[in-house]
Amino acid sequence: MRTVEEHQRVVADLISARAAQTVGLADAAGLALAADVTAPLSLPVFDNSAMDGYAVHAEDVAGADTTPVKLPVAEDIPAGRIDTLTLAVGTAHRIMTGAPLPVGATAVVPVEATDARVDVVEIRSAPKAGQHIRHAGEDVTAGTTVLQTGHVVTPAALGLAAALGLGSLTVRPRQRVLVMSTGTELVSAGTELQPGQIYESNAIMLAAAVREAGGEVVATPTSSDDVTQFSSVLEGFAGRADLIITTGGVSAGAYEVVKDAFAGGAVEFVKVAMQPGMPQGAGRINGCPIITLPGNPVSALVSFEVFVRPALRTAMGLPHPHRPRRTAVLADSLTSPKGKRQFRRGVYDAGAGTVTTYGPPASHHLRWLASANCLLEIAEDVTEMSAGEQVQLWDLS
């Protein structure tokens, strides 16, 4: 059998980064920068008021803490006023937050420290020189690198780019993924089940996993176990995906449509020493990487977590490609098959530092995975563990 690490390398080698793209700010959210961002201007662009109040010469109101000072209000400066004003000694300008500071002003008195008049204002507080003024360039100096390659574009990063007047950013684009379920027994929700039929769940589940990992889902088609239909569906999406993920049709029985469709060797089908998720496949179809996962839902999602998610995030330059690893105290005993790495569903109590196995290990018990918050990772050479032992886990929360 292939080891988990060997198959992880195979999958990672198949999935490569797309060429960098320059996109509008709204489309850059959540992506990794492919180029540094250099500030084309300074922030603030000009000296401006940090408060609603009155621009003054600080020395004109130096004694206002003990004796209020009255000054004529010579101008009214709302935010957005574009003409250049000069503050004469012995006068004040009423000014709003963000409005440009008049030439000569050395402080701003908050409106709360005045009587708020618009003709002659009484000032009752003596600000220090420079107080309540936002100076040009104190946040960003033009020409400096403000965001570096690899930085994930957060809402704050978008705000900064917009404030600098940038309309686009150069990023690593999302991986475009086609998620395809196979099985003649599969029907869509809303259809009345016939004997032997089940509702399709893998494509919905894995599409959500792709999006959560940062990728883009091209489509989620379903195919029967007919090779011709399966091949026709794939051909219909030719050139639209950077990665194809299939589920089902890779085991050792009859009607294994994925195996049958790629019998010529385009995809290598292997057994990986793990539970769940032993049957796996990987290769290229017309140059497009394809990862074939088993059909049981728990096997499919665990396989995605172990093999696909890290490779996807790495190809997109996103941080933390691997789920956080923790060490916890096992709260109950468990058994594990010799020679296979077992991934058991669990409930991790971070406060207590303990983890409890959750549900049976079989790969069709999706209910338990839906409410688990971690996967216990049991090494290949471990067949039993007792309560109180230390165990490794993958934090899914």
Side-chain angles (χ1 to χ4, degrees):
M1 290 191 190
R2 180 178 284 175
T3 67
V4 169
E5 287 79 11
E6 287 170 342
H7 198 62
Q8 283 174 328
R9 287 193 290 271
V10 168
V11 172
D13 288 344
L14 284 172
I15 303 174
S16 56
R18 295 174 61 192
Q21 291 183 355
T22 300
V23 300
L25 296 189
D27 294 326
L31 301 180
L33 289 172
D36 290 349
V37 176
T38 302
L41 48 78
S42 295
L43 293 179
V45 181
F46 48 84
D47 290 352
N48 67 85
S49 177
M51 305 285 287
D52 293 334
Y54 295 83
V56 297
H57 291 273
E59 55 270 27
D60 284 346
V61 293
D65 286 334
T66 55
T67 304
V69 174
K70 291 186 176 183
L71 296 175
V73 179
E75 293 283 352
D76 199 41
I77 313 176
R81 185 165 176 174
I82 61 174
D83 54 330
T84 300
L85 299 173
T86 299
L87 178 69
V89 173
T91 67
H93 288 182
R94 192 172 74 141
I95 193 168
M96 301 299 113
T97 302
L101 201 70
V103 176
T106 58
V108 172
V109 180
V111 68
E112 294 85 356
T114 75
D115 62 0
R117 291 177 65 89
V118 296
D119 49 357
V120 176
V121 62
E122 183 177 272
I123 294 174
R124 303 160 183 160
S125 175
K128 297 178 181 177
Q131 194 166 4
H132 304 309
I133 294 174
R134 301 167 178 162
H135 293 284
E138 69 177 34
D139 185 18
V140 174
T141 302
T144 60
T145 298
V146 291
L147 296 170
Q148 295 184 328
T149 300
H151 184 101
V152 175
V153 181
T154 61
L158 287 176
L160 175 59
L164 290 168
L166 301 175
S168 61
L169 294 170
T170 302
V171 296
R172 287 195 186 184
R174 299 186 192 279
Q175 291 281 311
R176 300 166 298 185
V177 184
L178 176 71
V179 181
M180 185 173 179
S181 284
T182 66
T184 302
E185 73 278 16
L186 304 178
V187 297
S188 300
T191 303
E192 184 177 352
L193 291 177
Q194 300 298 316
Q197 293 182 330
I198 62 173
Y199 288 120
E200 196 290 314
S201 60
N202 281 352
I204 296 295
M205 175 177 67
L206 292 176
V210 167
R211 294 186 186 100
E212 190 272 340
E216 172 189 340
V217 178
V218 173
T220 56
T222 300
S223 168
S224 71
D225 289 324
D226 179 76
V227 171
T228 301
Q229 186 200 15
F230 173 79
S231 300
S232 176
V233 172
L234 276 186
E235 289 170 7
F237 291 96
R240 293 176 54 185
D242 306 301
L243 171 67
I244 300 167
I245 300 174
T246 67
T247 67
V250 295
S251 295
Y255 306 105
E256 301 295 345
V257 65
V258 179
K259 268 190 171 181
D260 294 342
F262 302 130
V267 177
E268 182 183 15
F269 295 97
V270 299
K271 293 181 178 180
V272 177
M274 64 184 285
Q275 185 193 59
M278 182 176 68
Q280 300 285 338
R284 290 185 184 274
I285 302 300
N286 298 323
C288 182
I290 182 168
I291 309 299
T292 67
L293 305 180
N296 277 320
V298 175
S299 296
L301 189 55
V302 169
S303 297
F304 180 90
E305 287 287 338
V306 175
F307 302 118
V308 184
R309 185 181 189 274
L312 266 183
R313 290 186 65 82
T314 298
M316 292 183 287
L318 298 176
H320 315 301
H322 298 280
R323 294 288 189 180
R325 305 297 201 262
R326 311 273 188 237
T327 300
V329 176
L330 187 61
D332 55 350
S333 60
L334 60 81
T335 60
S336 185
K338 185 177 181 179
K340 292 184 180 180
R341 188 173 309 179
Q342 189 179 58
F343 293 92
R344 290 283 292 271
R345 286 136 281 185
V347 175
Y348 173 53
D349 184 336
T354 61
V355 64
T356 305
T357 59
Y358 192 57
S363 57
H364 65 285
H365 290 291
L366 184 57
R367 165 198 166 186
W368 303 97
L369 183 58
S371 48
N373 65 5
C374 69
L375 292 174
L376 284 69
E377 183 178 10
I378 315 301
E380 292 86 343
D381 58 350
V382 174
T383 57
E384 294 183 5
M385 293 190 72
S386 301
E389 291 190 61
Q390 297 281 326
V391 64
Q392 298 296 311
L393 60 85
W394 295 23
D395 192 340
L396 303 179
S397 58

